[in-house]
Amino acid sequence: MGDDRAESDEGIGRAVVAGAPNAIVALDRDQAVLAWNPAAERLFGWSAEEMVGRRPPVVPEELTAEHNAVLERVRTGGQVSLRTKRFRRDGSLLDVRVDTSALRSEAGALLGYVSVYHLAQDDESAQDRVVRRARLVRRLTDVVADINAERELPAVLDRIAASLTELTGADAGGFVLIEGDRLRLVASHKLPESLRDSTAHMRTSLVGKLLRTGRTVMLETGDQARLDELIWSQLPGLHTIALGLATAGGRPYGALYALFAKHKAGHVELELLELLAGHAGIAVGNAMAYQEAVRQRAHQRAVFDASADGIAVLDDRGRVIQWNPAATELTGFDAAEVIGGPPPFELPAPGDKLALQLPSGAWLDVLCAEIVETGEIVVDFRDVTRAKELEEAKDLFLATTSHELRTPITVVQGFAGTLDARWDGMTDTERRSAVHIIAERARSLGKLMDNLLLGSRAGAGELTLRIEGIDLGELLRAATLGLPVLSDVHRVEVIVPEDLPPVSGDALATDIVLGQLLENAFKYSPDGGLIRVEAWADGDWVVVVVDDEGVGIAPASRERVFERFVQADTGDRRRFGGVGLGLYIVRSLARAQGGEVSAHPRQGGGTRMRLALRIADTPGALT
């Protein structure tokens, strides 16, 4: 069995020598040829049969001493490699490199010498390839840096296509994108611009063939007609296509095409194509990640800028680094005023909510959240002034309504109790007076309940009116007829032209509006003065104004007085009584008729209430 193994090893050794690409010559101790492989036959021109057993006539006479010195050196140990000359059979000299070593037995005895020959020009070519490859790899490093410096995906792809031809020496190149079962040419270099965005089916393409092989690069050669069917070339003389697969995010993203017409593609070009394709996948992934980050930042900025809530971002030292437009609007502080410093109001602990009032009087609800990874704080705040005011107004409404109801009820209870207990002891005049007071207070209660019901319906949008042409002048004269005798301290002046045109409206609703405006004029001018009512036509409208010389309305309250449960702030909000529904009902009824009512300052003090209703049977009038 041992002999069989030895014979097998010997056979393998002979096969290796026979298949070696370099010439191998074995000499015995007397320099006679022991082995002369096929590569030696090709290199020197003598066959093995001619050379085995004789000294090879390959060493020039002038190099005999050099040759003997080499053998002596390897006989004493070591290996010698040198560049020298050797004869071919045709008498020509070969410039070769010879690597010589000793041939010894298992016991170490010298049996002879082994020399391996190859042409020196092969060394030079190999060295040239190494130098060229090193130069191109260095250039690839620079190209990759340039590609990765780009952030926009189209620019990255164009740069890759241009670098492809530069590094591989290709005559043209392109980058195709994989889109499902189709390919699209998205970037090219030295190809007609008209080819951009051309598409092809994956299955019949070189990309499909490459994917089916499981490799990352491939070469395809052939006549141009066949190659033109595989790629959009329009490159005269096309003979070779080199293809490299680019992956992004772990999946095939596209492929690089290097087209050769005048130049040739070899192993170095294919290797560089593979390297560039790998870097291209990374660059594409980076560009896609950058674009996604830009998109997300744009979305975040749009949300940040468009938010109705004020939003601020503080750094880990509590300094403002972002301040959105709503924050400026809510607080009155521009971004330039607050960025770099602390926020202009107190903050709650992260996760808590704080309600606070700014010096301007506005109320804010403030929330904080911490970004644990960076130590930054996101502050969200919204204006709750109206909600606060409405809450206060409702509280005031409840208190006011209780007061307004309790007063007449107390009076009614008192006089009813008196009548019940003392009826027989009272005179007719006293009984009539008590019943009259009870009736008046009951009417007051009824009016209060009517206003509450009307206000509720107005708030729910359930007002039902009958819109028709009505005589506003007649309603004004009826509403103001008894006014002069109501007060000893007021003077009443009414100016209503006889030819005042009819308006579109509801007679009952308009009467309620006029009555409330007149009542307010008396109510809010407790010290007396002139109450002036005037009406006139103004284009498509009839305008009615009610002027008084009373306490007036602060500029900030001229719109708020038309809200539910709100009264003009006069310092003593209970001075004039009421539940704060009158002007809310007035505006609701006016607008339900297609009109409008508004409050204005009166020159010399007091208030002007202005009511406008459309003239009947005019464009835009309700019928």
Side-chain angles (χ1 to χ4, degrees):
M1 184 172 181
D3 293 342
D4 293 343
R5 177 64 178 271
E7 290 179 3
S8 175
D9 290 345
E10 184 178 350
I12 291 174
R14 285 196 299 270
V16 169
V17 171
N22 294 322
I24 299 177
V25 176
L27 306 178
D28 63 14
R29 295 176 58 182
D30 296 327
Q31 301 185 37
V33 174
L34 296 173
W36 186 272
N37 75 343
E41 292 181 342
R42 292 191 297 271
L43 180 65
F44 295 112
W46 287 282
S47 67
E49 293 179 353
E50 293 175 292
M51 299 308 302
V52 171
R54 57 173 290 197
R55 281 197 174 195
V58 296
V59 179
E61 184 178 350
E62 65 272 18
L63 297 178
T64 301
E66 175 191 79
H67 173 66
N68 292 333
V70 168
L71 297 183
E72 181 63 22
R73 174 69 182 86
V74 300
R75 186 182 66 80
T76 58
Q79 179 178 335
V80 176
S81 178
L82 80 160
R83 183 170 176 175
T84 186
K85 302 286 187 180
R86 291 292 185 265
F87 279 122
R88 275 182 59 84
R89 183 170 189 168
D90 60 9
S92 61
L93 281 174
L94 298 174
D95 191 0
V96 297
R97 177 166 293 279
V98 185
D99 299 316
T100 304
S101 58
L103 180 65
R104 298 182 183 276
S105 67
E106 291 183 1
L110 180 67
L111 300 177
Y113 312 92
V114 176
S115 295
V116 179
Y117 297 85
H118 56 271
L119 293 174
Q121 69 183 30
D122 292 341
D123 276 351
E124 293 173 355
S125 298
Q127 184 64 27
D128 288 344
R129 285 195 297 272
V130 170
V131 171
R132 179 169 174 266
R133 183 184 182 282
R135 177 177 58 79
L136 289 174
V137 169
R138 287 194 300 271
R139 179 56 188 149
L140 175 64
T141 302
D142 295 337
V143 166
V144 169
D146 291 342
I147 292 173
N148 286 326
E150 297 286 355
R151 290 293 180 264
E152 298 297 330
L153 186 57
V156 168
L157 297 178
D158 285 340
R159 188 70 183 87
I160 290 171
S163 303
L164 174 64
T165 59
E166 176 187 354
L167 292 172
T168 64
D171 298 288
F175 190 95
V176 293
L177 189 65
I178 298 174
E179 297 178 333
D181 61 353
R182 297 197 67 80
L183 303 173
R184 181 165 61 91
L185 184 66
V186 294
S188 63
H189 187 66
K190 295 185 178 179
L191 287 174
E193 186 64 24
S194 59
L195 294 179
R196 188 181 292 263
D197 290 325
S198 298
T199 62
H201 200 283
M202 167 79 79
R203 184 175 55 82
T204 57
S205 71
L206 280 179
V207 176
K209 181 178 180 180
L210 177 60
L211 289 174
R212 288 191 293 272
T213 66
R215 303 198 304 268
T216 56
V217 292
M218 64 178 292
L219 278 177
E220 189 78 9
T221 60
D223 62 85
Q224 182 164 5
R226 190 179 70 84
L227 295 178
D228 280 345
E229 294 178 356
L230 301 175
I231 184 63
W232 317 275
S233 65
Q234 295 186 14
L235 185 66
L238 177 66
H239 57 75
T240 301
I241 299 173
L243 184 68
L245 187 66
T247 60
R251 66 175 184 83
Y253 178 81
L256 285 76
Y257 277 90
L259 310 180
F260 295 87
K262 300 177 182 177
H263 300 86
K264 293 183 178 181
H267 293 295
V268 172
E269 287 74 19
L270 205 60
E271 181 183 1
L272 286 169
L273 177 62
E274 185 173 22
L275 291 173
L276 182 59
H279 287 292
I282 296 172
V284 166
N286 291 340
M288 292 169 64
Y290 174 78
Q291 288 189 333
E292 178 63 19
V294 169
R295 186 183 66 81
Q296 290 183 359
R297 284 198 297 269
H299 287 180
Q300 292 168 358
R301 173 54 62 180
V303 172
F304 184 80
D305 289 343
S307 174
D309 284 6
I311 301 176
V313 180
L314 315 183
D315 64 14
D316 56 359
R317 297 184 180 181
R319 299 173 301 189
V320 178
I321 55 177
Q322 292 189 57
W323 188 259
N324 76 338
T328 297
E329 183 178 349
L330 293 176
T331 65
F333 289 95
D334 291 331
E337 298 179 76
V338 296
I339 287 181
F345 48 77
E346 183 183 354
L347 297 181
D352 293 341
K353 182 170 75 170
L354 175 67
L356 56 85
Q357 190 174 27
L358 298 177
S360 64
W363 282 89
L364 299 179
D365 267 357
V366 185
L367 293 167
C368 284
E370 182 180 8
I371 303 175
V372 177
E373 293 80 3
T374 63
E376 296 174 322
I377 299 291
V378 178
V379 184
D380 182 278
F381 48 97
R382 63 181 56 183
D383 189 347
V384 293
T385 305
R386 298 297 295 275
K388 279 280 187 182
E389 291 175 345
L390 183 59
E391 183 180 347
E392 293 177 359
K394 287 181 177 179
D395 291 342
L396 180 61
F397 166 72
L398 293 175
T400 301
T401 305
S402 300
H403 173 79
E404 294 292 324
L405 289 172
R406 181 173 297 279
T407 299
I409 289 173
T410 300
V411 172
V412 169
Q413 285 177 334
F415 278 94
T418 300
L419 288 173
D420 181 50
R422 298 177 51 206
W423 178 268
D424 293 335
M426 297 175 67
T427 65
D428 287 343
T429 302
E430 288 174 334
R431 292 191 195 105
R432 289 179 182 279
S433 177
V435 170
H436 177 73
I437 292 172
I438 290 173
E440 285 295 325
R441 295 299 179 175
R443 279 192 293 271
S444 295
L445 283 172
K447 184 177 180 181
L448 177 59
M449 297 308 296
D450 287 342
N451 280 347
L452 290 174
L453 182 59
L454 194 56
S456 174
R457 288 177 176 174
E462 296 176 353
L463 291 175
T464 302
L465 304 180
R466 180 184 177 187
I467 305 301
E468 58 186 355
I470 59 174
D471 189 342
L472 183 59
E474 181 182 346
L475 290 176
L476 277 170
R477 285 186 283 270
T480 58
L481 183 61
L483 290 182
V485 299
L486 291 181
S487 173
D488 294 333
V489 295
H490 291 91
R491 294 178 294 109
V492 179
E493 182 179 322
V494 181
I495 305 174
V496 179
E498 293 294 334
D499 59 349
L500 194 67
V503 298
S504 293
D506 180 283
L508 179 59
T510 304
D511 188 55
I512 293 173
V513 169
L514 295 175
Q516 186 65 56
L517 293 179
L518 292 168
E519 180 181 330
N520 281 4
F522 280 90
K523 179 179 177 179
Y524 290 103
S525 56
D527 298 329
L530 176 65
I531 304 295
R532 186 171 186 272
V533 180
E534 185 177 2
W536 67 86
D538 184 6
D540 293 338
W541 301 86
V542 170
V543 177
V544 178
V545 296
V546 179
D547 293 338
D548 65 61
E549 297 178 343
V551 297
I553 303 174
S557 298
R558 287 180 191 144
E559 275 299 308
R560 293 186 59 247
V561 294
F562 293 101
E563 299 175 10
R564 282 189 291 183
F565 318 133
V566 175
Q567 292 178 320
D569 191 354
T570 61
D572 179 6
R573 301 186 69 178
R574 296 275 44 85
R575 178 182 177 189
F576 301 102
V579 293
L581 282 172
L583 289 179
Y584 172 76
I585 293 171
V586 163
R587 174 166 279 183
S588 297
L589 290 173
R591 288 180 173 175
Q593 299 176 87
E596 186 57 272
V597 65
S598 53
H600 307 271
R602 177 185 173 277
Q603 189 174 1
T607 300
R608 163 170 284 193
M609 300 302 295
R610 182 181 187 275
L611 170 67
L613 296 173
R614 283 191 177 276
I615 295 174
D617 298 325
T618 59
L622 298 174
T623 57

